[in-house]
Amino acid sequence: MTVRFGLLGAGRIGKVHARAVTGNPGAVLVAVADAFPAAAEAIAAQYGCAVRTIEGIEAADDIDAVVICTPTDTHADLIERFSRAGKAIFCEKPIDLDVSRVRACLRVVEETGGKLMVGFNRRFDPHFMAVHQAIEAGRIGDVEMVTITSRDPGAPPVDYIKRSGGIFRDMTIHDFDMARFLLGEEPVSVTATAAVLVDKAIGEAGDYDSVSVIMQTASGKQAIISNSRRATYGYDQRIEVHGSKGMVAAENQRPVSIEIATGDGYTRPPLHDFFMTRYTEAYANEIASFIASLEQGTPLSPSGADGLAALALADAAVKSVQEKRLIDVG
Amino acid sequence: MTVRFGLLGAGRIGKVHARAVTGNPGAVLVAVADAFPAAAEAIAAQYGCAVRTIEGIEAADDIDAVVICTPTDTHADLIERFSRAGKAIFCEKPIDLDVSRVRACLRVVEETGGKLMVGFNRRFDPHFMAVHQAIEAGRIGDVEMVTITSRDPGAPPVDYIKRSGGIFRDMTIHDFDMARFLLGEEPVSVTATAAVLVDKAIGEAGDYDSVSVIMQTASGKQAIISNSRRATYGYDQRIEVHGSKGMVAAENQRPVSIEIATGDGYTRPPLHDFFMTRYTEAYANEIASFIASLEQGTPLSPSGADGLAALALADAAVKSVQEKRLIDVG
Amino acid sequence: MTVRFGLLGAGRIGKVHARAVTGNPGAVLVAVADAFPAAAEAIAAQYGCAVRTIEGIEAADDIDAVVICTPTDTHADLIERFSRAGKAIFCEKPIDLDVSRVRACLRVVEETGGKLMVGFNRRFDPHFMAVHQAIEAGRIGDVEMVTITSRDPGAPPVDYIKRSGGIFRDMTIHDFDMARFLLGEEPVSVTATAAVLVDKAIGEAGDYDSVSVIMQTASGKQAIISNSRRATYGYDQRIEVHGSKGMVAAENQRPVSIEIATGDGYTRPPLHDFFMTRYTEAYANEIASFIASLEQGTPLSPSGADGLAALALADAAVKSVQEKRLIDVG
Amino acid sequence: MTVRFGLLGAGRIGKVHARAVTGNPGAVLVAVADAFPAAAEAIAAQYGCAVRTIEGIEAADDIDAVVICTPTDTHADLIERFSRAGKAIFCEKPIDLDVSRVRACLRVVEETGGKLMVGFNRRFDPHFMAVHQAIEAGRIGDVEMVTITSRDPGAPPVDYIKRSGGIFRDMTIHDFDMARFLLGEEPVSVTATAAVLVDKAIGEAGDYDSVSVIMQTASGKQAIISNSRRATYGYDQRIEVHGSKGMVAAENQRPVSIEIATGDGYTRPPLHDFFMTRYTEAYANEIASFIASLEQGTPLSPSGADGLAALALADAAVKSVQEKRLIDVG
């Protein structure tokens, strides 16, 4: 079986998914749609697929699945439409920035028997996958404390910040999902602190750039998240899980692994400076997982419910900062 | 000038300080006192010093300074007595487990013009000192986020736990001091979660074994502390400071630095398994600092006020867990 | 300009180059030839190119360049034919196992004004490239001592060994080339020792599996090579260059960068276990360099002369082992 | 039993051994002798021992063992004298720079039933000891290839070079001993190259500063040594042993283990810059081993024969450079 794809959105992340789909032997990219025809045509030319409208893809008999890479505020609508059209859906995170809108959307997916996977790409990073596998294999015993350090190379433009839903919903959301993935239990409480240390303009836009979060599960397992919008040394992406029998950690990644020693010491190059180079393999792996699940008829994961759960944790973190207290989410 | 020492307490930590004093060219160990004569005599025999009573050391003309290594509940009394006796005092942490008792003790020190240094040995670990120096030298710009991971090789006996004042006052207190040392600003809030994951008996004794803490300063700097009473891989002691221009971290220490590669991978030996081997140099350095400050007439540091501040943060953490909210400590 | 390629040989390494050519925006794969039609057809089907005979590719007007991936004993003949046919040539190493045959072949290339690049892929590994760039940038001052450690995951079949030309010409040849690349001066002497430690059958076939080489240049710079046909921990590929101002080293590569800590220590996974996964990027980069040189009219590098020089060093190493002395090659 | 020591020579290395002896619970330092009375008196004052002449120590009833730390050209004579006097002898390497003088000396030791240990301190470095133990424990299977990288922080004065016996007998001799220690078989051949790359004055003094050596045993095991008199990044001391089941390596040591990350990369401090700080533990361990062997009546190791064997390998290396050939030493 070959899964026939339509691509909705031909921007930066759309190109990433186009490459992932066309590079996968179990898939074919049939058509691409974008509000900017030039963007769609560029992808069509490179990969030999058709340019169509969203409506055309919706109605197409020769398309089994879509990848939604359009702006965030269109995701929920498109999920509903394509769920009704009977297409399997891979949607970039988030489904929506509003929990009630996400709930409504997921009801439609459920009612229509839709198939939805949400793009938490980090679950498919080979290093983080290996951490998860080590846990599943019992290498560290029972999970006790998860520590996630996630720092961007640099803050995005303030215009982006304003539309982002805030750092917890935009950036920490990846870490909320990763914490759930690794804890193996749902958090029942969220505590967070937040500050503006990197860029005053972010504060003026009503957001934070430096945050710390603690979550705890019913059995007492704890997860700590540390976020900053700026790390001079590159894209800092570490996870560490401490358990009853040991610890497992994923190391940071750099494009070049050399070391230069001089009288000033031993120096290795900075980390990756961009999420696309850092997570190249993760993007390919998540599309491969989507295709494999469709082929084998197994549940799509991460699911819409996973997207909702991470968003709810982000909302709780916002509330914790505002109310200076631990928020029960159990 | 040679500083002439009396040692109060000849137990495990007393022996460590006896070695540090006798190995220092600026000091001489004159006498040792202990409730158990055999313990005092062993040190006296090894280092060629006298055995005296505490009263004898208090009244001695040939002793300039004392090192207090007696049980915790005697610290405050001894500090007051020896402060009145005009001896310079190095006291193992904590001064007392009760903040009001500490305050009363420090008033006596102040009124008598006493000289008091508190034994937060980790400030004198060469690796942590180098982290502090890198910050002071501006290598990472402004401090933004401090992360301290501190995990013991194994939980102490429950009898010890019961007398310890609880994990925050017994174990985390070192990390509260280190956070203050590295933040360069006083925390104004403390949030903590706590659980029993390692040993149910610890919970039955009314304590926790796995805790997470976030502190924040007035300007928004954040410190995260992660503690566990048990790490199978050894004594896990890491600090990391993220700043506006970079990051500095102290690596874990192991007694032997080899790596064995086989079909199972590349393996390095576990970490130190005991605080005394991990912090050997720190103990020598803190006594050297005490002696150098006495010789040069510079302020003793960490001071009694530092001891008080760390204890107050521990109390706030206890309260945060109990009341499920952020505690203002500004 | 787009470079139009013919691929000669559709085996394991042919597939690697087919992917590199088709993934390069400056190239198009027009045709493939192989003695086994099924192999050629598989590549043709995957990448949408034609299947032709070698003669057909030789005579084709729509082909600018060929990649030679056929068995070693056909390389020299094909280079001569396609040089006469006016095609640019990328040939897998070696040109031939016999120095005089290589010299004759290179004369034909020269007489016909042919363009020839030899596939020493390791020069294009991003980590080794970064080592070379650090040297060129003066980061370590003058090069003094090059150390190359190269160990295969496991020995090849004895049948392969018999046709390989021996370990120096088959395996060490990569390191001879790398040493020349990094020394920046030609070796004037070669000394080698060799033994059979891994597999007696290799010795019975007249070859060695464990060898050590020292080369020296006229100015005294030294290069050490250590080879083994078997490393249980994976494909061990390290280079290190010591200079007057410092040292630069490329670290080993592993597919997954995690670390698991338990009471047995800290363990990272084994290295890559196969040259194709270890050098994936190198293969893509060398074809990209070939294409870029053709487009820009710059010299192809590594050249036929580089191929000859590495082979001459291998011959000298063989002689050094036989005659138990240093061999002058200046 | 307490071993009563006399110290011959109160210079730099004499002080190191004085500290090792006095810090050992099984030993007492009775007397020190030195041609410069002030040097002897300084040690006597610090450790409360007597100052005596060499003759006085030779004749003393209250001394069981001597540590010889006098200039190299006095070692053989003193070993003979103190062997005849019935004292156990720990002698700094080398016994002499001339093999025939060493042989004559060892004959005297044998005839007098003397007890002699030679100070190859590196065998007692805890990291190198752990490498040896891993081999003995079978962790890497059969030893196949030993690689020793040994580079000094900076070249010694030319005056020292002139009296040193040359780099092979002065510096590489430690590595020859280490190679023998780790190979577990005697080398049967030595091949070496040598050059002057660091300091022309060294060449003018008839010596080299950059050398490479390969040794091979009868069964084909190989050892590579790479030496330089100058490494800008500190005292580079690595050993690595490749075997049939795996590899074991000792990492370099630095006084401070921190890492600073900025836009320029991740930097760790330079290595130790002095052999005395690098090998502090090794010096204490070797004296402890000497004392323990005397107490238990076990053979002293490394022995005089070990000292002779390493010197013979150094001589062979000199000859290999001169004659441009492999030298049989079996």
Side-chain angles (χ1 to χ4, degrees), chain C residues 144-145 147 149 151 189 191-198 210-214 216 219-222 224-228 230-233 236 238 240 242-247 324-326 328, chain D residues 144-145 147 149 151 189 191-198 210-214 216 219-222 224-228 230-233 236 238 240 242-247 324-326 328:
Chain C
E144 294 176 353
M145 305 188 92
T147 306
T149 305
R151 294 172 184 146
S189 72
T191 316
T193 62
V196 178
L197 299 172
V198 173
S210 304
V211 306
S212 304
V213 181
I214 306 173
Q216 191 160 318
S219 74
K221 299 180 197 304
Q222 291 158 52
I224 290 174
I225 299 168
S226 176
N227 281 167
S228 171
R230 179 255 300 114
T232 58
Y233 41 89
D236 188 0
R238 287 172 282 162
E240 173 180 322
H242 176 83
S244 57
K245 293 185 182 165
M247 190 267 289
K324 295 192 172 189
R325 63 179 183 89
L326 178 148
D328 286 317
Chain D
E144 294 176 352
M145 306 187 90
T147 306
T149 305
R151 293 172 183 146
S189 71
T191 317
T193 62
V196 178
L197 298 172
V198 173
S210 304
V211 306
S212 303
V213 181
I214 306 173
Q216 192 160 316
S219 74
K221 299 181 198 300
Q222 291 157 54
I224 290 174
I225 299 169
S226 175
N227 282 168
S228 170
R230 181 255 299 114
T232 59
Y233 41 89
D236 188 0
R238 286 172 282 161
E240 175 180 322
H242 176 84
S244 59
K245 292 186 184 166
M247 189 268 290
K324 295 191 172 191
R325 64 182 182 86
L326 180 148
D328 286 317

Side-chain angles (χ1 to χ4, degrees), chain C residues 307-329:
Chain C
L308 177 61
L311 184 62
L313 292 171
D315 283 2
V318 172
K319 195 172 181 184
S320 176
V321 172
Q322 290 168 341
E323 305 187 1
K324 295 192 172 189
R325 63 179 183 89
L326 178 148
I327 305 300
D328 286 317
V329 294

Side-chain angles (χ1 to χ4, degrees), chain C:
Chain C
M1 174 191 155
T2 297
V3 180
R4 300 167 299 175
F5 275 84
L7 178 68
L8 312 184
R12 192 170 65 170
I13 193 69
K15 284 176 192 160
V16 170
H17 289 306
R19 188 172 57 187
V21 168
T22 56
N24 191 300
V28 60
L29 181 59
V30 174
V32 56
D34 197 286
F36 295 92
E41 276 154 22
I43 284 183
Q46 185 168 0
Y47 295 108
C49 71
V51 172
R52 296 188 189 162
T53 61
I54 285 181
E55 291 73 18
I57 291 174
E58 204 175 357
D61 284 341
D62 61 350
I63 285 181
D64 307 307
V66 291
V67 177
I68 301 178
C69 308
T70 51
T72 293
D73 58 7
T74 66
H75 287 185
D77 287 349
L78 288 172
I79 289 171
E80 292 176 355
R81 281 171 63 178
F82 280 86
S83 193
R84 290 189 176 109
K87 311 299 187 197
I89 302 164
F90 177 96
C91 184
E92 265 304 306
K93 69 97 199 168
I95 296 173
D96 196 272
L97 293 170
D98 181 86
V99 161
S100 57
R101 180 69 190 91
V102 174
R103 287 216 178 88
C105 175
L106 295 185
R107 271 195 301 272
V108 172
V109 173
E110 194 180 1
E111 289 162 10
T112 58
K115 293 175 179 172
L116 172 63
M117 178 168 165
V118 173
F120 283 122
N121 60 307
R122 294 185 195 176
R123 291 195 187 200
F124 299 94
D125 174 69
H127 315 291
F128 297 167
M129 286 171 78
V131 167
H132 188 251
Q133 286 158 6
I135 295 169
E136 296 288 306
R139 299 288 297 275
I140 64 162
D142 295 327
V143 168
E144 294 176 353
M145 305 188 92
V146 172
T147 306
I148 301 174
T149 305
S150 178
R151 294 172 184 146
D152 285 347
V158 170
D159 271 357
Y160 174 88
I161 294 283
K162 287 177 182 169
R163 289 175 289 109
S164 71
I167 188 171
F168 290 113
R169 293 186 191 92
D170 178 58
M171 181 176 173
T172 323
I173 196 163
H174 281 290
D175 308 309
F176 286 126
D177 182 65
M178 185 56 67
R180 291 183 63 243
F181 184 54
L182 297 174
L183 281 169
E185 276 182 23
E186 290 299 319
V188 297
S189 72
V190 178
T191 316
T193 62
V196 178
L197 299 172
V198 173
D199 185 353
K200 283 184 185 175
I202 292 176
E204 289 160 9
D207 198 6
Y208 310 103
D209 53 37
S210 304
V211 306
S212 304
V213 181
I214 306 173
M215 296 188 287
Q216 191 160 318
T217 71
S219 74
K221 299 180 197 304
Q222 291 158 52
I224 290 174
I225 299 168
S226 176
N227 281 167
S228 171
R229 284 287 193 185
R230 179 255 300 114
T232 58
Y233 41 89
Y235 194 32
D236 188 0
Q237 297 279 288
R238 287 172 282 162
I239 58 176
E240 173 180 322
V241 187
H242 176 83
S244 57
K245 293 185 182 165
M247 190 267 289
V248 57
E251 299 169 352
N252 263 319
Q253 300 294 315
R254 44 174 55 84
V256 170
S257 297
I258 67 168
E259 190 162 42
I260 297 179
T262 69
D264 295 329
Y266 280 66
T267 301
R268 293 178 292 164
L271 308 177
H272 284 282
D273 60 359
F274 191 36
F275 71 91
M276 287 198 176
T277 54
R278 169 63 184 84
Y279 286 118
T280 303
E281 289 171 286
Y283 285 114
N285 289 346
E286 68 174 356
I287 289 294
S289 170
F290 179 64
I291 293 166
S293 292
L294 293 180
E295 286 176 345
Q296 296 158 23
T298 51
L300 293 168
S301 172
S303 66
D306 290 317
L308 177 61
L311 184 62
L313 292 171
D315 283 2
V318 172
K319 195 172 181 184
S320 176
V321 172
Q322 290 168 341
E323 305 187 1
K324 295 192 172 189
R325 63 179 183 89
L326 178 148
I327 305 300
D328 286 317
V329 294

Side-chain angles (χ1 to χ4, degrees), chain A residues 144 151 191 193-195 197 210 212 214 216 219-220 222 230 232-233 238 240 242 245-247 324 326, chain B residues 144 151 191 193-195 197 210-212 214 216 219-220 222 230 232-233 238 240 242 245-247 324 326:
Chain A
E144 294 176 353
R151 294 173 184 146
T191 317
T193 62
L197 298 172
S210 304
S212 303
I214 306 173
Q216 193 160 316
S219 74
Q222 292 157 52
R230 180 255 299 115
T232 58
Y233 42 89
R238 286 173 284 162
E240 173 179 322
H242 176 84
K245 292 187 183 165
M247 191 268 290
K324 295 190 171 192
L326 179 149
Chain B
E144 294 177 353
R151 293 172 184 147
T191 316
T193 63
L197 299 172
S210 305
V211 306
S212 305
I214 307 173
Q216 191 159 319
S219 73
Q222 291 158 51
R230 180 255 299 114
T232 58
Y233 40 90
R238 286 172 284 161
E240 174 180 322
H242 176 83
K245 293 187 182 165
M247 191 267 290
K324 295 192 173 191
L326 178 148

